[in-house]
Amino acid sequence: MYFKNDIEKLGNTIIYLADRIDDLSKTKLLKILYLLDEFSIKEFGLPFLNLKYEVWQLGPVAQDIFIDLSDEPIILKDYIKINTFENKRYIQSKKEFSDDEFSDNELNLLDKLTQTVKNEPAYVLINFTHKKDSLWYNTASRHNLLEMFEMGIKNSSNIELNFEEIIQNEPIKLSIYNHHKELESSLKGFRIC
């Protein structure tokens, strides 16, 4: 469930990426969204999009967004369209980017990450999220998923990544993050979509 402004920020983030990255595939987009949240938490103690990510074989995945991008979008219907070519799904923007939901720091992070990954294939981003000691790797290892993923026994899980782990040794950022989570929890009953 998302607030209207959450959907606007997510939609405009994807518009920004789709307008700047040629042939933005669903897989590449899902990795970039995760990296935005991870890097934002590492830098500021606050998530960029505040999505929930699960441990899947190809890395961290926001299940709601994966589902929305796998068919005709519902959550993102006003922001993107999906084209299929050779069994791959590519994202295109439907309207102009609006920066109303973004801080200057967020826009800088979005631009920096876009410039860094725009020419990288999706598998490079998958490998980056899989590297040893990453949040995905540590969580998958703790829950005995690595071998099942490697053997093809399992390709997804409902194990959620806990971003507190990446800032556990930074008390100020951890405090900011925990305050954000408390506020989010208190507003849960007000979500509209």
Side-chain angles (χ1 to χ4, degrees):
M1 301 298 264
Y2 300 98
F3 286 112
K4 184 178 186 290
N5 62 336
D6 294 334
I7 295 169
E8 288 174 5
K9 186 173 185 181
L10 175 59
N12 278 296
T13 297
I14 297 173
I15 288 170
Y16 185 95
L17 295 168
D19 287 349
R20 288 161 181 78
I21 300 174
D22 293 334
D23 301 323
L24 180 61
S25 69
K26 176 176 90 169
T27 301
K28 185 170 181 174
L29 173 61
L30 289 166
K31 298 310 138 212
I32 294 171
L33 295 179
Y34 169 77
L35 292 172
L36 281 167
D37 270 331
E38 180 181 300
F39 292 166
S40 182
I41 290 168
K42 284 180 177 176
E43 183 74 21
F44 310 112
L46 290 170
F48 191 90
L49 295 165
N50 201 34
L51 298 174
K52 307 290 182 245
Y53 298 92
E54 296 175 346
V55 179
W56 287 19
Q57 183 179 27
L58 295 181
V61 173
Q63 182 181 23
D64 292 349
I65 307 311
F66 174 86
I67 291 169
D68 207 48
L69 297 174
S70 296
D71 202 4
E72 196 61 37
I74 296 171
I75 297 170
L76 298 165
K77 69 181 183 294
D78 295 332
Y79 300 91
I80 62 165
K81 59 184 173 183
I82 299 181
N83 295 320
T84 303
F85 180 72
E86 295 181 356
N87 290 330
K88 288 192 175 188
R89 299 177 70 75
Y90 295 94
I91 289 65
Q92 289 187 312
S93 60
K94 279 176 112 173
K95 60 184 188 179
E96 295 292 315
F97 171 73
S98 169
D99 66 2
D100 292 349
E101 300 295 327
F102 300 88
S103 69
D104 289 343
N105 286 336
E106 289 172 327
L107 288 170
N108 288 334
L109 177 61
L110 181 58
D111 182 59
K112 185 177 177 182
L113 184 60
T114 302
Q115 293 305 315
T116 302
V117 303
K118 73 185 219 175
N119 295 317
E120 299 292 345
Y123 76 85
V124 169
L125 301 181
I126 292 168
N127 290 340
F128 181 79
T129 62
H130 282 205
K131 69 182 179 184
K132 196 168 187 136
D133 289 329
S134 70
L135 181 57
W136 177 91
Y137 183 91
N138 290 340
T139 306
S141 179
R142 223 177 15 257
H143 292 276
N144 302 311
L145 293 169
L146 292 176
E147 189 174 317
M148 287 191 275
F149 288 157
E150 287 174 19
M151 294 174 58
I153 296 170
K154 197 172 184 105
N155 63 8
S156 65
S157 81
N158 61 356
I159 306 296
E160 193 174 308
L161 293 173
N162 180 0
F163 283 112
E164 289 178 25
E165 292 179 37
I166 63 174
I167 53 173
Q168 64 187 351
N169 296 322
E170 298 184 59
I172 293 172
K173 290 178 185 172
L174 186 58
S175 176
I176 291 168
Y177 183 75
N178 285 328
H179 179 73
H180 166 79
K181 298 305 277 180
E182 288 171 19
L183 180 61
E184 177 191 53
S185 181
S186 68
L187 295 175
K188 259 188 182 166
F190 296 102
R191 297 220 182 230
I192 59 161
C193 176

